[in-house]
Amino acid sequence: MNHRTPRDPVHRRGASAGSVLRAVLEHGPVPRSTIARLTGLSPASVSGHTAELAEQSFIREMSETTRAKAVGRPHVPVDLDLSGYVVASVHIAVPHTTIALLDLRGRVLVRHQEPHLQPEPLAVVSRASEILARLLAEHAAGRTPLGLGVATGGWIDREAGVLVEHPLLGWQDVALRDQFAERTGLLAEADGHSRALLLAERLFGSARGRSSVMHLFIGNVVDAAFAAGESVHYGPRSQAGAIAHLPLAGNTEPCFCGRTGCLQAAVSEQSLARRAFAEGIITEPEFPLLLETARYGDPSALRLFTERARHIGRATAMLTDVFGPELVVIVEPGVMFLPGTLSALHEEMRAHAWSPPPDVTRAVVPTGFEPDSILAIAGGAVILDALYRDPLRLLAEHERAYSASQRCIHI
Ligand SMILES: [Zn+2]
């Protein structure tokens, strides 16, 4: 699905409908006259798009005196209609899968975390699909599931919908998109989780309206993503953003790739938990336990998170020298929960970037998303981004997927 390079008139029309829908998301309730100013589209064109979007239950007119969903007068505000649709989300992490439903504002309606008893791809996909069916039956409240977004770490080829490689899960060439589409009957899309969260930050988070943004995801897997203007960079086979093996000076941690000093080996949750366990800071080599210990103020645990933040700061310095993003958003529990570690990261940025941003504390920030919701948002954002680029096209693809699945069921 190539929704990033609209060329023909139908795609241009869809892209304009997308910019109208994004204006409603960002500014709603908003009158159509303002949408015309915000998008640069003509009033007639905005009027046409809002009528079509209302017809499809994406937006509604905010007037009690007007018939529901009738959209006509230019000064009556319109807003998102949250009663028509939900999007489904699956995020596959190393120890567990998160399955969730989101509304069109990217808010998590319900979330379930399922540990990996059998981390084989088929078992994980089947179990997640079963749980998703239950969540839809119990929590969608009559709303139509518009599609399923799947996010995970490692290398995901977005166009092919294939997880090319996830060394920590030991997965290779898994057709995630098609396997989920087949099991759920939903339109499905898959993307890497750093890129998925970058999409989410641009739609619902702190990157909204920024001209360029870089996203760093530091978990067990370490990934980056970059966007400039409207364009999110994918590269051939969506390979961009693989920073796991970026060499870091002064780091001697051995990496599974055979070298030493790779970023991921230094900062992954597994490495940190292993080191903390070996040093007797925690009684089990479990990352959540280490984070809890640091949050209680244990100085040794805090020291490990500060070292981690310094490694991330040095990597961020290199990456910002290359890309010069206006904003860097980081998902990493240390900088999200332990304020001292964020200062260490900023200090390292200032010391190592050739041309650091004038105010590092505003240019490099932790995500503003609720920590418990981040993984659910990552999956959902894969579909929500497609929706806000071209809602009518997504709806048409959803209807095709849905009718195909109904045919399969009745045969
Ligand atoms: Zn390596």
Side-chain angles (χ1 to χ4, degrees):
M1 167 171 162
N2 188 358
H3 55 261
R4 288 176 293 279
T5 51
R7 288 183 201 91
D8 59 56
V10 174
H11 286 175
R12 275 205 297 278
R13 189 172 68 89
S16 303
S19 57
V20 169
L21 193 59
R22 276 203 306 282
V24 178
L25 166 71
E26 286 178 28
H27 302 276
V30 58
R32 271 158 303 130
S33 47
T34 308
I35 298 174
R37 186 170 49 75
L38 290 166
T39 57
L41 295 166
S42 71
S45 162
V46 169
S47 193
H49 288 309
T50 49
E52 203 165 8
L53 290 169
E55 174 72 21
Q56 302 298 346
S57 298
F58 288 121
I59 63 173
R60 64 197 173 95
E61 194 164 73
M62 301 298 292
S63 165
E64 305 208 346
T65 56
T66 316
R67 254 185 322 118
K69 290 174 186 162
V71 178
R73 294 165 300 165
H75 300 298
V76 175
V78 294
D79 205 354
L80 288 184
D81 183 349
L82 301 180
S83 65
Y85 303 103
V86 292
V87 298
S89 160
V90 168
H91 178 278
I92 303 167
V94 175
H96 51 68
T97 295
T98 304
I99 304 104
L101 301 181
L102 279 71
D103 70 14
L104 297 192
R105 287 196 189 283
R107 292 182 301 209
V108 179
L109 303 171
V110 60
R111 183 182 66 233
H112 174 96
Q113 199 170 78
E114 184 73 0
H116 290 163
L117 301 176
Q118 292 173 273
E120 273 71 50
L122 272 179
V124 168
V125 171
S126 299
R127 185 76 190 119
S129 303
E130 282 166 26
I131 293 165
L132 179 57
R134 180 166 60 73
L135 295 186
L136 282 168
E138 292 173 4
H139 298 277
R143 286 171 284 190
T144 305
L146 204 45
L148 163 64
V150 183
T152 181
W155 175 9
I156 313 282
D157 182 340
R158 169 85 190 237
E159 290 292 328
V162 169
L163 180 152
V164 180
E165 189 178 50
H166 192 314
L168 294 183
L169 275 171
W171 292 9
Q172 267 186 328
D173 295 320
V174 181
L176 278 182
R177 182 188 63 199
D178 294 349
Q179 289 189 9
F180 270 109
E182 196 179 302
R183 277 170 182 72
T184 62
L186 295 172
L187 165 72
E189 287 274 332
D191 209 339
H193 59 193
S194 189
R195 208 146 31 217
L197 284 166
L198 174 84
L199 302 174
E201 294 285 353
R202 282 155 50 92
L203 284 172
F204 316 110
S206 45
R208 204 182 243 192
R210 300 301 190 102
S211 62
S212 56
V213 57
M214 185 165 78
H215 188 275
L216 298 178
F217 188 105
I218 318 285
N220 271 315
V221 177
V222 176
D223 286 316
F226 182 73
E230 284 292 291
S231 175
V232 177
H233 186 59
Y234 279 76
R237 298 192 69 203
S238 311
Q239 215 175 343
I243 56 164
H245 305 280
L246 198 72
L248 279 186
N251 166 30
T252 52
E253 190 81 28
C255 180
F256 67 83
C257 73
R259 289 177 291 184
T260 55
C262 299
L263 174 62
Q264 184 169 289
V267 302
S268 89
E269 292 181 355
Q270 289 177 345
S271 311
L272 220 64
R274 235 184 352 249
R275 278 217 301 282
F277 178 64
E279 292 180 26
I281 300 168
I282 46 177
T283 49
E284 298 288 332
E286 301 293 338
F287 184 80
L289 182 59
L290 176 63
L291 181 59
E292 207 183 303
T293 309
R295 289 181 78 183
Y296 275 111
D298 179 279
S300 308
L302 277 169
R303 173 180 47 79
L304 287 184
F305 275 100
T306 307
E307 273 173 28
R308 187 192 211 201
R310 289 192 183 282
H311 285 311
I312 300 165
R314 285 213 292 284
T316 311
M318 278 191 258
L319 294 166
T320 49
D321 277 342
V322 176
F323 293 108
E326 192 188 329
L327 181 72
V328 180
V329 183
I330 299 181
V331 168
E332 191 269 329
V335 300
M336 288 154 65
F337 291 110
L338 311 165
T341 62
L342 182 60
S343 330
L345 189 153
H346 287 147
E347 224 170 77
E348 211 72 5
M349 271 285 295
R350 281 190 211 97
H352 290 267
W354 186 253
S355 51
D359 184 351
V360 170
T361 58
R362 292 168 73 93
V364 182
V365 298
T367 181
F369 291 139
E370 184 63 33
D372 285 345
S373 296
I374 288 172
L375 302 181
I377 291 173
V382 178
I383 282 293
L384 286 167
D385 177 72
L387 170 74
Y388 284 99
R389 283 177 190 274
D390 192 339
L392 304 175
R393 179 170 175 167
L394 186 79
L395 194 61
E397 288 181 0
H398 154 74
E399 276 161 9
R400 266 201 302 279
Y402 181 74
S403 58
S405 76
Q406 293 300 298
R407 268 202 307 280
C408 291
I409 289 164
H410 293 302
I411 280 169

